[in-house]
Amino acid sequence: MSCNIEISGLTKRFGQNTVLNNIDLCLKPGERVAIIGPSGTGKSTLLRCLNFLDAPDEGRITLGDLKVDAARASKADILALRRRTGFVFQNYALFANKSARQNIMEGLTTVRGWPAAKATDRANQILTRIGLADRGDSFPSALSGGQQQRVGIGRAMALDADLMLFDEPTSALDPEWVGEVLDLIRAIADGRQTMLIVTHEMQFAREIADRVVFMEGGRIVEQGPPDQIFGNARDERTRAFLRRVG
Amino acid sequence: MNALDIAYMWDLVPVIAGYIPLTLFMALVSMVLALILSAMLAIVRVLKLPVIDRGVAIFISFFRGTPLLVQLFLFYYGLPQLFSFMTNINGVTAAIIGLTLHFSAYMAESIRGAILGVDRSQWEAAASIGMTQGQLLRRIILPQAARTAAPTLMNYFIDMIKGTSLAFTLGVTEMMGAAQKEAAGSFLYLEAFLVVALFYWGIVEILSVGQRRMEQYLGKAVAR
């Protein structure tokens, strides 16, 4: 298996508590990996560590030619890593002082230094892609939860990231908006975009993922194709979890 | 007891009015400088920059913990004893420095509160798309904090205008100083100080109307 994204030995402690314990994970280009598991088990922390929103204590993150050693990551390493990973937040976290279009453009103009016209064109393409072509001038406060999360996804898409990280993208949504957000993620999971998705939507994980990773207690317990994990899990902990949620 | 000398008061109006520009000049310059300084102090405190954070905390504590009048005397009369280059400092400059430092200490705390009021997840979102700390403060956090802090900062500006009257104790002839001089010549203290009080009141009222308009405008802009 050729990995172009590789995580090895990733460990994160909060005080005495080891939240991530020696995580190894390898993603092939275009692969869609869903992470499932009980709450408080380190799934979100893993994603946040990959983007250095929480700084991991040990381990290595390799993104193509970018190699970051967690223990001695420089500011430049962290910025480079962030610029090559898109992050979709559970609570959308849109910039409240910027319109939908500006939210999407911000990473292009401020971070990449694109001229405004070019960034506007790209943002308009993305707005169409996320089904909000007519809402580009709306501020987040004027958008529904589902629309806000679609803009959140659009903002991450604009980066053309090597890896997109979804941190429970539908958990904060009213049930009526979950469908449209999942539909959008399905649409961009076209086999070219590598994705790591933390989700509680088991049906969605099963349908969209090439591989499902089950985590518990800060470790990866088992991983495999969706049919195997959902139909024929080897580890008793996985089966117990799936019985509880299923 | 004599009745109020209204005619004398009318005569004073143009005299005192002539000093409005100086009063506003001192207040405006101090406000602009205090805005810049307080924003920097607030950022140091929010980011908890090592070492300087401690210094800034002491600075804020001192300038909030001592009277403005004492601070002005310290700058104008006290410090030249230590630093010879300060002997030539004029009253207006000393007043501007004093007002700037004094009010920036208060304003820094307001701005700090407003910065902390911006949802933490927006910091993370800005960081996640690769913004540097400077970029995310300038583009995302400070614009939102400014809206929250604006009404309070406007109050400090009003306080500052009134605070300029203390410049008269440094020998500056501004509105208050002019009233004092007039009163000393005519012995009509009540009339002179009443005129100057009405001037301050009028200026502050005009600004308060502006402040309410601004708040209505900002209220609409940040409606969630």
Side-chain angles (χ1 to χ4, degrees), chain B residues 78-159:
Chain B
L79 287 186
Q81 223 171 288
L82 278 182
F83 307 106
S84 54
F85 69 91
M86 287 187 74
T87 29
N88 293 325
I89 195 170
N90 68 40
V92 173
T93 311
I96 288 174
I97 294 173
L99 288 166
T100 299
L101 297 180
H102 181 81
F103 280 93
S104 61
Y106 283 93
M107 288 159 54
E109 290 294 276
S110 303
I111 295 175
R112 182 170 80 108
I115 290 175
L116 294 177
V118 178
D119 187 5
R120 187 76 212 167
S121 70
Q122 289 190 48
W123 289 76
E124 294 191 336
S128 82
I129 61 172
M131 283 184 164
T132 61
Q133 207 144 51
Q135 287 170 336
L136 73 87
L137 277 168
R138 200 173 63 246
R139 309 262 321 155
I140 309 296
I141 307 300
L142 290 179
Q144 295 182 62
R147 288 180 170 183
T148 319
T152 324
L153 297 180
M154 194 68 189
N155 279 338
Y156 284 127
F157 181 54
I158 285 171
D159 271 355

Side-chain angles (χ1 to χ4, degrees), chain A:
Chain A
M1 185 156 60
S2 78
C3 305
N4 84 326
I5 297 168
E6 191 172 6
I7 300 153
S8 63
L10 204 68
T11 298
K12 171 69 182 171
R13 296 179 202 92
F14 289 117
Q16 293 296 312
N17 188 11
T18 303
V19 199
L20 287 182
N21 198 341
N22 209 12
I23 298 283
D24 294 323
L25 196 62
C26 144
L27 292 116
K28 288 180 287 189
E31 198 179 13
R32 293 154 295 201
V33 174
I35 305 177
I36 60 170
S39 298
T41 208
K43 308 185 298 291
S44 289
T45 307
L46 171 58
L47 253 54
R48 294 173 56 84
C49 281
L50 293 180
N51 213 354
F52 268 78
L53 294 175
D54 290 326
D57 296 305
E58 290 162 33
R60 298 179 67 82
I61 301 168
T62 307
L63 221 64
D65 54 350
L66 177 68
K67 293 178 176 39
V68 178
D69 182 342
R72 334 170 232 288
S74 67
K75 270 191 177 163
D77 286 338
I78 294 172
L79 278 182
L81 193 61
R82 284 176 175 164
R83 285 167 189 187
R84 293 169 62 164
T85 49
F87 200 102
V88 176
F89 293 82
Q90 185 176 345
N91 67 347
Y92 339 130
L94 297 185
F95 307 134
N97 62 329
K98 309 238 171 248
S99 69
R101 183 180 296 105
Q102 289 167 333
N103 263 277
I104 295 170
M105 287 170 65
E106 192 61 35
L108 300 174
T109 50
T110 305
V111 178
R112 295 223 179 142
W114 283 23
K118 187 180 170 194
T120 307
D121 283 350
R122 177 79 179 116
N124 287 337
Q125 284 171 16
I126 290 173
L127 282 167
T128 306
R129 190 100 189 271
I130 62 177
L132 292 172
D134 54 337
R135 301 307 300 272
D137 295 322
S138 301
F139 281 81
S141 54
L143 298 172
S144 75
Q147 290 171 332
Q148 288 188 55
Q149 188 57 299
R150 279 144 69 193
V151 175
I153 293 170
R155 178 175 64 187
M157 285 163 67
L159 300 173
D160 276 322
D162 296 344
L163 173 62
M164 268 180 88
L165 304 163
F166 294 83
D167 186 10
E168 302 189 22
T170 58
S171 293
L173 289 170
D174 287 338
E176 57 182 314
W177 309 124
V178 170
E180 66 186 55
V181 170
L182 294 183
D183 285 345
L184 173 59
I185 300 174
R186 276 185 201 103
I188 53 178
D190 54 5
R192 287 195 299 271
Q193 177 68 63
T194 316
M195 294 180 167
L196 201 48
I197 307 170
V198 170
T199 184
H200 290 298
E201 303 276 342
M202 294 303 146
Q203 187 50 45
F204 174 69
R206 179 168 202 163
E207 157 204 341
I208 198 174
D210 301 309
R211 179 154 48 112
V212 175
V213 172
F214 175 73
M215 275 181 75
E216 192 177 82
R219 294 173 185 274
I220 293 178
V221 174
E222 84 174 285
Q223 51 182 309
D227 287 344
Q228 182 199 316
I229 297 291
F230 288 103
N232 191 17
R234 280 187 223 109
D235 198 287
E236 172 50 30
R237 286 169 292 179
T238 315
R239 290 197 296 268
F241 170 74
L242 289 171
R243 272 198 303 277
R244 277 204 307 283
V245 299

